[in-house]
Each structure stands twice: as C-alpha cells, then as structure tokens.
Amino acid sequence: MSVLDDIIAGVAEDLEARRQAVPLKQMRERARAAAPALDAFAALGGNDNPRGELRVIAEVKRSSPSKGALADIADPASLAASYERGGAAVISVLTEQRRFGGSLADFDAVRDVVRIPLLRKDFTVDEYQIWEARAHGADLVLLIVAALDDAQLKDFLALTHELGMNALVETHTQHEVERAVAVGARIIGVNVRNLKTLDVDRSVFAPLADSIPSGALVIAESGVRDAADVEQYAADGANAVLVGEALVRHNDPAATIADFAQTGRKAIAARQMHGKD
C-alpha cells in the first residue's frame, strides 16, 4: 500500500464518522445556506487581473507525513491573519487529522477572521466533503488526480463549480496533467512531491507547467524552502506557489510572503522580457 492509499483509507474512515453525525441531506442544506464563495480564480491571477504578479497560497499546516511535526500552531486564526497582512492571495487550511494534525475547527477559526479565499486542503474522495467544505465557508477545494478516477474527477469538479467554488486540481505526472486538462480544470497544481512515496523532485515542475494550456493557472506545490525556490518556480511558469513549511517555521511569515511575492514578480518580469510568455 502506498502512502497515498494509507492516507485515503484513514480519510474515508473519518469521513464516515462525520457523515453519521451530519447526514448528506443536512450538509447540503448547510452548504446552500452559507454565504457565497469568493472568487479564488480571480484572486490567483485569473480573469482580468494584471499579469506579472506571483500569488502566494499560504498554508496553515501543523505536521506532514514526510516531516512529522512542523509547528505548534495554538492559534490558527492569528497565523492566518498574519498571512493576509503579508499579501497572501489565498489561505490553505489542512483539515486532515491523522497525518497533518488539521481539523475543520481550524478551518472555521480561520474563516472567522480572514476575508480572502480559503482552500480546504484535504484528500477529497467523496462528494460529501465538497458539500461539507462549502458549508464551512470554503471557496476552493483540493482534487488530487492520483486519488480519483476520471468519472470522479469530472463529477467533483462540476460539483465545485455548481456550488460557486473553484478546485485546485493537483497533478504530478504528464498523464495526470492531461487528465486535469481533459475535464476542464482552470487551476492546475503541479506537486513536486510524489504522494505515493513522499519523495520531492523539483525538476518535474518545469516540463509539466510548460504543458498546461495558457488559459489555466499553474500552481507550484511543495518544495519551497526559500526565495530561490520561489524564483525558480516563477521563472518556470508558475502563477502561484503554495507554501506551508517555510511559513509556519518562520518567525515573521507576513514578511516572508511579501518577499516571496516580490521575488516571483522579478522572475516573471525576466521571463516575459526573454519572450517565454
């Protein structure tokens, strides 16, 4: 069993317990009563937003399967507020508990204090989780291509759009990029971490980013240690970077976000000057 398979098995078990507590019909009613979702696509540089800016998706992340405990985040809302002050375009909140130490309570705490789009970061394997995300005020959900078959990917993406949300469709291989494009994904993440082994290979980003159509936004996921990594991702075609560990371990995450955005802006300008866009 791969690491991804093991995580999904735990997610499915925890999901069933929540479904028993709040049946799907009731969760749908809560989702429909929630305030309308914010436009994460626009926030990440889509629509008519000015080009040449690198957006940062800043993540509230306590731990990970590869690194173990990362930070003791006693107040996720305060951390998220600092992300917003630093200029984050979107805030990602881990809600998977077993491997990442997250929860929907963390998500709710962050939703109460920030006014920018929120990504509910979890392993989506059932439509219940999409309704649940919307009920809790999510604007964006994660769909991992490696965890879904084509029918699920298509149906889950359609449901997110039906509920007024966007989906970050995560890929790691050329075939997964092709599958994401085939279902009409508009926000495509390239995760340089192989979720089946947890190995990181930053070299996979550039060729996959280059194969994503110009109408979609390209998000670089994982592997950001410092501004040099951000610069390389931006130079290789990223519209945004998703950063967790480098922020939760920094004593001034707001300043780090601002630095990453400025570094990315310069790299994109250089890329455009050399006619690569």
Side-chain angles (χ1 to χ4, degrees):
M1 178 181 286
S2 72
V3 175
L4 178 60
D5 291 334
D6 185 54
I7 292 173
I8 289 175
V11 165
E13 186 175 333
D14 293 342
L15 164 62
E16 190 55 37
R18 298 198 307 278
R19 197 201 315 262
Q20 291 297 321
V22 184
L24 178 59
K25 180 180 179 181
Q26 186 176 347
M27 192 59 73
R28 285 174 171 168
E29 292 171 353
R30 293 183 182 182
R32 292 190 176 106
L38 303 175
D39 190 344
F41 183 73
L44 290 169
N47 299 336
D48 296 325
N49 282 9
R51 307 299 288 179
E53 299 290 326
L54 183 82
R55 269 64 177 189
V56 176
I57 303 175
E59 191 156 84
V60 177
K61 183 177 186 179
R62 288 193 171 89
S63 63
S64 75
S66 61
K67 297 289 184 68
L70 299 174
D72 181 15
I73 304 173
D75 188 351
S78 177
L79 177 62
S82 71
Y83 287 167
E84 187 172 26
R85 288 195 303 272
V90 170
I91 294 174
S92 169
V93 182
L94 262 301
T95 60
E96 196 281 333
Q97 182 174 1
R98 298 189 183 204
R99 296 296 192 100
F100 294 88
S103 68
L104 282 164
D106 284 351
F107 190 94
D108 291 341
V110 172
R111 178 74 288 171
D112 284 344
V113 301
V114 303
R115 298 295 175 263
I116 58 176
L118 293 189
L119 163 64
R120 190 249 177 118
K121 185 87 173 290
D122 212 317
F123 295 77
T124 305
V125 295
D126 190 283
E127 71 164 286
Y128 182 94
Q129 293 163 284
I130 300 174
W131 289 99
E132 183 180 52
R134 184 79 282 274
H136 284 265
D139 309 292
L140 191 65
V141 296
L142 178 69
L143 300 179
I144 301 173
V145 175
L148 303 169
D149 61 34
D150 287 342
Q152 289 174 315
L153 186 59
K154 180 180 179 181
D155 290 347
F156 290 176
L157 183 61
L159 179 57
T160 64
H161 292 163
E162 177 187 329
L163 295 178
M165 294 188 291
N166 284 284
L168 170 56
V169 181
E170 180 177 300
T171 66
H172 179 70
T173 67
Q174 182 60 46
H175 180 57
E176 290 173 6
V177 169
E178 291 168 1
R179 291 179 59 203
V181 172
V183 297
R186 298 199 304 163
I187 306 174
I188 300 179
V190 175
N191 193 345
V192 303
R193 185 184 303 280
N194 184 337
L195 292 180
K196 297 179 180 180
T197 64
L198 301 184
D199 294 334
V200 171
D201 181 0
R202 293 173 187 80
S203 70
V204 306
F205 179 77
L208 295 184
D210 193 51
S211 70
I212 295 173
S214 59
L217 295 174
V218 181
I219 315 300
E221 300 181 56
S222 299
V224 174
R225 298 162 297 189
D226 50 33
D229 291 325
V230 173
E231 181 178 21
Q232 189 62 56
Y233 282 143
D236 289 337
N239 299 110
V241 292
L242 191 154
V243 189
E245 180 181 347
L247 296 179
V248 300
R249 287 184 163 176
H250 202 283
N251 59 10
D252 191 348
T256 303
I257 290 170
D259 180 47
F260 284 176
Q262 182 178 22
T263 298
R265 187 182 306 117
K266 291 178 180 178
I268 291 173
R271 178 183 174 88
Q272 292 173 338
M273 184 179 299
H274 289 90
K276 293 183 179 180
D277 278 340

